Amino acid sequence: MIIGFIGFGKVSKNILNLIKSEDITFITSIENRSEKTVENIKKCEIEILDTFKSVASKSDVIISANSPKNALAVAKEYGKYVKGIYLDLNNISPDTTFEISKHVDNFVDGAIIGKIDSENPILYISGEMADNLLFLNEFIETKKISDNIGDVAILKLLRSCYTKTLSAILIESTEIAKSHYLEDEFFEIMSLTEGEDFRQKSLSRIKNTLNSSQRKSEELEEIIDYFNENELTMVKAALEKLSR
């Protein structure tokens, strides 16, 4: 079996590390990739092809893991060459998911839940072709939600509603604590109710949010666009905070 990646960031790299099998070959391309991405790819045990068109046409499973902003464009450009399963792992709205399904056969909506570089993330999938990916259970806990394209996308957005908004509140609270020279005390009292590892997890969340604020802002924009009939006061505030 051949698994191909379009986009090679932390998600793709961790999948590569988790799926270890002599029966599976991984492929990607460095076509139009940044110098940093090319360097990361060359450090991995993965076959490099000249173009992503070749990657798409030769893969039994193609994984799109780039960014919410590029997900649809990638599907339009390379989806027509895919003969196997097309698995999208980007944090996109159900509307974008439905649009992608128009350009791709054998489409599966997916999400990696858990820390990106975790040793035990969970892969959630939905779509009529999702059963064909349950073999991944041998390497990654894989759960099929339904046959409906978009169900996983909705769950991704709901999770992002919580996590991105919480991250913005953590950043703001920590900034205020620092301004009053009470950062240590703040984390100490929070740990009494939130658990002993609250500080460690919070600082990790804050660092991750600040390092990828643009991508997380794109995800919040997707949430606001899709759930436009719902009250999203906190989500809109979180987007404003991350944008600053």
Side-chain angles (χ1 to χ4, degrees):
M1 173 175 286
I2 298 176
I3 297 179
F5 293 106
I6 298 180
F8 200 84
K10 291 182 178 179
V11 171
S12 299
K13 187 175 180 180
N14 199 40
I15 290 174
L16 186 68
N17 290 332
L18 292 172
I19 301 177
K20 298 294 185 182
S21 173
E22 294 181 356
D23 298 323
I24 297 176
T25 299
F26 292 96
I27 62 175
T28 192
S29 175
I30 58 175
E31 180 184 25
N32 299 322
R33 299 295 88 184
S34 68
E35 184 176 336
K36 182 179 180 180
T37 300
V38 171
E39 183 180 340
N40 287 333
I41 290 173
K42 289 183 176 180
K43 290 178 181 178
C44 299
E45 295 181 7
I46 188 168
E47 184 179 342
I48 300 173
L49 305 187
D50 292 333
T51 66
F52 283 111
K53 177 181 176 180
S54 297
V55 173
S57 63
K58 291 184 178 182
S59 297
D60 298 300
V61 177
I62 191 77
I63 297 175
S64 174
N66 34 85
S67 75
K69 187 176 182 179
N70 296 328
L72 180 56
V74 166
K76 287 181 176 179
E77 186 168 0
Y78 301 111
K80 55 182 172 288
Y81 303 114
V82 177
K83 301 180 181 65
I85 302 295
Y86 188 102
L87 173 62
D88 189 286
L89 294 180
N90 298 293
N91 281 327
I92 54 178
S93 74
D95 284 340
T96 304
T97 300
F98 295 138
E99 189 64 28
I100 288 175
S101 68
K102 297 177 184 178
H103 301 276
V104 178
D105 293 327
N106 303 326
F107 178 65
V108 175
D109 175 21
I112 294 284
I113 303 300
K115 193 175 179 182
I116 288 177
D117 55 358
S118 170
E119 294 181 358
N120 55 354
I122 301 176
L123 171 62
Y124 287 87
I125 53 178
S126 67
E128 293 183 358
M129 302 302 294
D131 286 336
N132 293 280
L133 294 178
L134 292 178
F135 75 92
L136 292 171
N137 258 311
E138 185 177 345
F139 314 98
I140 305 171
E141 185 176 356
T142 303
K143 295 186 176 182
K144 178 182 175 181
I145 299 300
S146 71
D147 287 335
N148 303 320
I149 292 295
D151 280 358
V152 167
I154 291 173
L155 291 174
K156 283 189 289 189
L157 290 190
L158 291 173
R159 182 175 185 273
S160 288
C161 276
Y162 174 79
T163 58
K164 272 57 174 192
T165 304
L166 179 61
S167 295
I169 293 172
L170 275 172
I171 290 171
E172 200 160 89
S173 299
T174 304
E175 287 174 343
I176 295 172
K178 284 182 178 179
S179 71
H180 289 276
Y181 306 100
L182 291 170
E183 182 181 2
D184 290 340
E185 290 78 6
F186 165 68
F187 283 115
E188 181 180 337
I189 64 168
M190 291 302 298
S191 296
L192 296 176
T193 56
E194 304 305 310
E196 293 181 359
D197 57 353
F198 176 77
R199 178 172 188 147
Q200 179 183 353
K201 287 185 175 180
S202 295
L203 293 178
S204 176
R205 181 187 291 273
I206 290 171
K207 180 180 179 181
N208 177 266
T209 299
L210 295 176
N211 287 341
S212 54
S213 59
Q214 181 176 347
R215 177 173 60 82
K216 293 184 184 298
S217 294
E218 290 175 8
E219 293 169 5
L220 287 173
E221 288 169 354
E222 290 271 8
I223 292 169
I224 293 169
D225 182 60
Y226 187 74
F227 295 123
N228 60 82
E229 295 182 357
N230 299 90
E231 184 179 352
L232 297 169
T233 304
M234 300 304 295
V235 175
K236 291 176 181 177
L239 175 60
E240 182 182 351
K241 178 70 177 179
L242 293 184
S243 297
R244 292 203 304 270

